[in-house]
Amino acid sequence: MQITPDELIILQWGGLRLNATIVFTWIVMALLAGGARLVTARLSDDEAPSRWQNLLEVLVNGMRDQIRESSQHDPGRYLPFVGTLFLFIAVSNSLAIVPGFLSPTGSLSTTTALALCVLVAVPVYSIVGSGFGGWLRTWLQPSWLMLPFNIVGEFTRTVALAIRLYGNVMSGTLLAGLLIGIIPFFFPTLMQLLGLLTGLIQAYIFAVLAMVYIAAAAGTPGDRSGKPE
Amino acid sequence: MDNIGLIGAVSIVTAGLTLAIGSLGPAFGEARAAAQALAAIAQQPDEANTITRTLFVSLAMIESTAIYCFVLSMILIFTNPIWNRVLEMATP
């Protein structure tokens, strides 16, 4: 039994191997980018926007509200990064109900890449927000005695972020695979339903945790008051 | 029992024990967190949004310890590195 889609080679020419993780990541990317491009191609600001425009507006507004609430910052700067994380993970987790689709987040390499993005984004946002000195000072919070713990914590939380998402998605697929062998038809469907719920919650949690880490390093909350516009 | 059988048996028993003990603590922890959050919502229904969001995040944090144990036991069962190495040494 294979527990990650990494081992499934779809195409191979020469030394170049294309495994299922990359292919399904590209599918999700194409779906997200193509869908957004299609919808935003003809935006309207009249009384009744199209159904898809409505969907996107609800999504973007919801993400902005969540970012504002969980970080107390103005969401404008964080929305592109955190929103992309959420949308990518949510779409790839919920597409798991499509037969034959292996969720790319069920591979440790994908989740590690996402967690590394967060690891890089935290100092970038911190330096942009409060300058290089401000970023260095976040390492000394609350006192300089905590410096080694801060350094260790930076890496362990990245590992935790990656393993958490991977473990949750992988356990869902694995459980469904095992249950189909034991109790076919009805029960695996229920577990898939539960997997859909956990997938969305995990996407939410990944995004919120990334936002919390970024906001913690980006300076004191409230200096950029999060007023609803 | 020969060595290969011993390694297999120890791996499987350890995987079961890892999952059993490793899920016990987080289960207690999550139960406590959820109970506290419900009590807090019952006291302050207006703050339900904030409490629920914080609850989800903390549940995810607590759950990650159980997930570590799960990943470890899956590695022990399906992709056991020691098992593979012993098999490689046994079949020249």
Side-chain angles (χ1 to χ4, degrees):
Chain A
M1 176 180 284
Q2 57 190 17
I3 59 174
T4 92
D6 283 358
E7 294 156 12
L8 190 67
I9 308 293
I10 287 188
L11 272 178
Q12 179 167 16
W13 68 106
L16 215 61
R17 271 178 294 179
L18 204 58
N19 59 26
T21 312
I22 299 178
V23 171
F24 288 122
T25 308
W26 284 346
I27 291 178
V28 172
M29 279 162 61
L31 213 65
L32 281 174
R37 176 44 68 93
L38 268 183
V39 176
T40 52
R42 39 199 165 76
L43 291 177
S44 65
D45 56 352
D46 56 343
E47 290 288 309
S50 73
R51 190 180 299 174
W52 292 100
Q53 184 184 342
N54 221 338
L55 172 78
L56 282 201
E57 279 178 8
V58 168
L59 260 178
V60 172
N61 264 333
M63 289 191 296
R64 287 180 72 95
D65 286 344
Q66 289 296 330
I67 291 175
R68 187 180 293 120
E69 279 175 29
S70 59
S71 71
Q72 316 291 326
H73 284 260
D74 178 57
R77 227 168 352 131
Y78 308 109
L79 182 70
F81 180 65
V82 179
T84 308
L85 281 181
F86 172 75
L87 280 182
F88 177 76
I89 299 171
V91 168
S92 52
N93 281 355
S94 22
L95 278 182
I97 50 165
V98 176
F101 186 91
L102 296 169
S103 180
T105 43
S107 134
L108 193 55
S109 32
T110 311
T111 58
T112 309
L114 292 177
L116 284 180
C117 288
V118 177
L119 180 75
V120 173
V122 169
V124 166
Y125 275 112
S126 179
I127 291 173
V128 169
S130 51
F132 194 70
W135 174 60
L136 287 182
R137 260 195 301 281
T138 60
W139 291 95
L140 303 177
Q141 298 294 333
S143 85
W144 62 270
L145 279 175
M146 299 299 282
L147 179 63
F149 299 99
N150 280 336
I151 293 173
V152 172
E154 188 83 12
F155 290 102
T156 51
R157 79 186 184 192
T158 306
V159 174
L161 216 53
I163 304 260
R164 180 181 306 122
L165 184 58
Y166 164 68
N168 272 291
V169 178
M170 186 264 282
S171 68
T173 5
L174 201 64
L175 214 58
L178 288 177
L179 283 176
I180 283 175
I182 305 169
I183 329 167
F185 301 129
F186 184 63
F187 199 55
T189 323
L190 283 183
M191 293 309 291
Q192 285 266 321
L193 215 60
L194 191 69
L196 216 54
L197 181 69
T198 30
L200 280 181
I201 291 182
Q202 286 305 319
Y204 174 74
I205 282 167
F206 196 98
V208 165
L209 282 181
M211 190 60 243
V212 167
Y213 296 157
I214 291 172
T220 50
D223 55 350
R224 243 173 274 285
S225 59
K227 280 197 204 75
E229 56 263 75
Chain B
M1 199 186 289
D2 60 334
N3 278 336
I4 294 184
L6 200 65
I7 289 176
V10 168
S11 301
I12 292 173
V13 169
T14 314
L17 274 180
T18 308
L19 203 49
I21 301 173
S23 56
L24 202 65
F28 280 126
E30 289 199 15
R32 275 191 61 92
Q36 288 284 336
L38 287 182
I41 289 177
Q43 278 180 359
Q44 296 168 296
D46 295 343
E47 294 296 311
N49 263 334
T50 318
I51 296 172
T52 317
R53 196 182 55 244
T54 331
L55 173 70
F56 272 138
V57 175
S58 42
L59 280 189
M61 295 289 228
I62 302 167
E63 199 177 68
S64 49
T65 47
I67 294 287
Y68 298 152
C69 294
F70 174 76
V71 170
L72 197 66
S73 66
M74 286 299 111
I75 289 174
L76 277 178
I77 293 178
F78 291 111
T79 55
N80 193 335
I82 299 166
W83 173 258
N84 291 342
R85 211 169 122 211
V86 168
L87 275 191
E88 263 174 35
M89 283 162 77
T91 54

